[in-house]
Amino acid sequence: MTSRDARTPILVVGAAGTTGRRVTRMLDERGHETRPASRSSEWRFDWNDTDTWDRVLKGARSMYLVQYDPEPLAPAFIERAVEHGVERVVLLSGRGIDDPDYLPEFFGDGEVTLGKGEEAVRASGAEWTILRPGWFAQNLGEGMFGEDVRSGRVALPFGRGRVSWIDAEDIAAVAVAALTEEGHHGRVYELSGPAALDPEETFAEISRAAGRSVEYAPVSVEEFVDLRVGRGWSAEDARTFATLLSPIRRGKDEALSDGVRRALGREARSFAEFARDAAASGVRKA
């Protein structure tokens, strides 16, 4: 069996998420048998219910794995997967895993959840590929900033930080290549878009595509926390979210990476392409 055998199911863990559903769609379009696993799918999977693990793993030989961030459950799942005969793992990790200064509040103690997953997949004995994307462009449409974008005013503590937004379509395309082709074993793909945009450039591009004004309103961390608490968030959650955004403010998310080109032989999709697609799929009407 090779991972290119379309008759062997490819497990997609996190299939309801931003990248997982795109990976599933692209595999389906290429004629592969997929096993999309999530808490709400036919292939029910719950990280916190180990009774669901064996059913989704049985018979799979390749898998795309979106990790569970709150605690390091991926190592045990990867071990279980190899016991079931999984031979190839494509792991979604994240930017900054190897940079203690990226998020020192979380990375300084060495117990980084995503890092534990990377360690486990490297030691698993399976073929592995690790994807380390930066900020998803889709966070500005269907994701965590979508509501703000649709309101026309986005208040965030970005400062003047630039972001090399990566389109989730590219992340999924790299994952599919690693799942179905040879030549990706042992590779770590750092993934970014082709340019780093400051907030004004980012929201000007969205405004052009949507045909309406989307304003960036820079706010301090304290102002951001107050705004989120006003929406019903807890102060703790709001501060954690602000901390997760801090690399942008500190210039840690402007780096450009060549992972898309290395994996696919083409350049990454531009932010303008993302914005046009997002507008066409509904942002314009919001």
Side-chain angles (χ1 to χ4, degrees):
M1 194 284 296
T2 71
S3 294
R4 288 175 290 181
D5 186 346
R7 298 166 298 177
T8 303
I10 299 176
L11 174 62
V12 179
V13 175
T18 302
T19 62
R21 66 176 180 271
R22 288 173 166 85
V23 169
T24 302
R25 186 197 78 225
M26 291 180 187
L27 288 170
D28 287 341
E29 290 171 350
R30 288 159 175 75
H32 292 275
E33 181 182 345
T34 57
R35 186 174 290 177
S38 69
R39 283 179 294 181
S40 58
S41 71
E42 175 187 352
W43 290 95
R44 182 177 174 274
F45 175 82
D46 186 336
W47 278 107
N48 292 304
D49 181 1
T50 56
D51 289 341
T52 67
W53 292 12
D54 293 315
R55 176 173 177 261
V56 300
L57 287 168
K58 185 178 181 180
R61 292 294 176 267
S62 303
M63 74 172 176
Y64 175 68
L65 182 61
V66 178
Q67 300 185 68
Y68 180 68
D69 286 359
E71 52 186 301
L73 298 176
F77 185 73
I78 292 166
E79 182 179 2
R80 183 85 61 89
V82 172
E83 290 172 355
H84 274 276
V86 170
E87 300 170 353
R88 181 175 295 190
V89 181
V90 177
L91 182 75
L92 184 68
S93 186
R95 169 174 278 180
I97 292 301
D98 56 351
D99 178 4
D101 189 49
Y102 184 78
L103 271 174
E105 299 87 347
F106 298 115
F107 290 8
D109 60 6
E111 293 296 320
V112 185
T113 301
L114 299 184
K116 293 296 182 184
E118 288 197 11
E119 292 172 10
V121 78
R122 291 174 192 268
S124 67
E127 294 184 11
W128 58 267
T129 308
I130 294 170
L131 312 186
R132 290 180 178 171
W135 280 92
F136 297 3
Q138 277 70 15
N139 284 326
L140 295 160
E142 64 201 52
M144 61 184 70
F145 308 128
E147 180 181 350
D148 303 80
V149 170
R150 289 186 288 275
S151 77
R153 184 176 186 274
V154 184
L156 292 169
F158 282 2
R160 296 287 302 170
R162 305 177 75 87
V163 181
S164 54
W165 303 99
I166 175 72
D167 195 319
E169 291 288 323
D170 280 341
I171 301 171
V174 173
V176 168
L179 286 165
T180 62
E181 300 171 2
E182 302 305 320
H184 301 281
H185 171 50
R187 301 287 182 89
V188 177
Y189 291 124
E190 304 276 353
L191 303 175
S192 80
L197 308 180
D198 69 25
E200 285 78 13
E201 292 168 330
T202 296
F203 293 104
E205 199 67 69
I206 291 174
S207 297
R208 278 191 290 272
R212 59 180 177 81
S213 176
V214 179
E215 173 195 4
Y216 170 61
V219 295
S220 69
V221 169
E222 290 304 319
E223 289 171 328
F224 176 77
V225 169
D226 289 344
L227 287 168
R228 294 285 157 163
V229 169
R231 292 186 185 183
W233 290 39
S234 72
E236 181 182 2
D237 286 347
R239 289 190 181 281
T240 298
F241 191 24
T243 299
L244 293 173
L245 299 177
S246 70
I248 295 175
R249 192 168 59 253
R250 293 184 290 114
K252 303 291 285 185
D253 276 295
E254 64 183 18
L256 302 182
S257 305
D258 64 355
V260 172
R261 184 172 66 250
R262 287 172 55 216
L264 303 178
R266 64 165 175 81
E267 295 303 317
R269 282 165 52 87
S270 70
F271 189 80
E273 289 176 280
F274 154 75
R276 287 195 296 269
D277 288 351
S281 65
V283 172
R284 184 189 301 276
K285 302 173 185 177

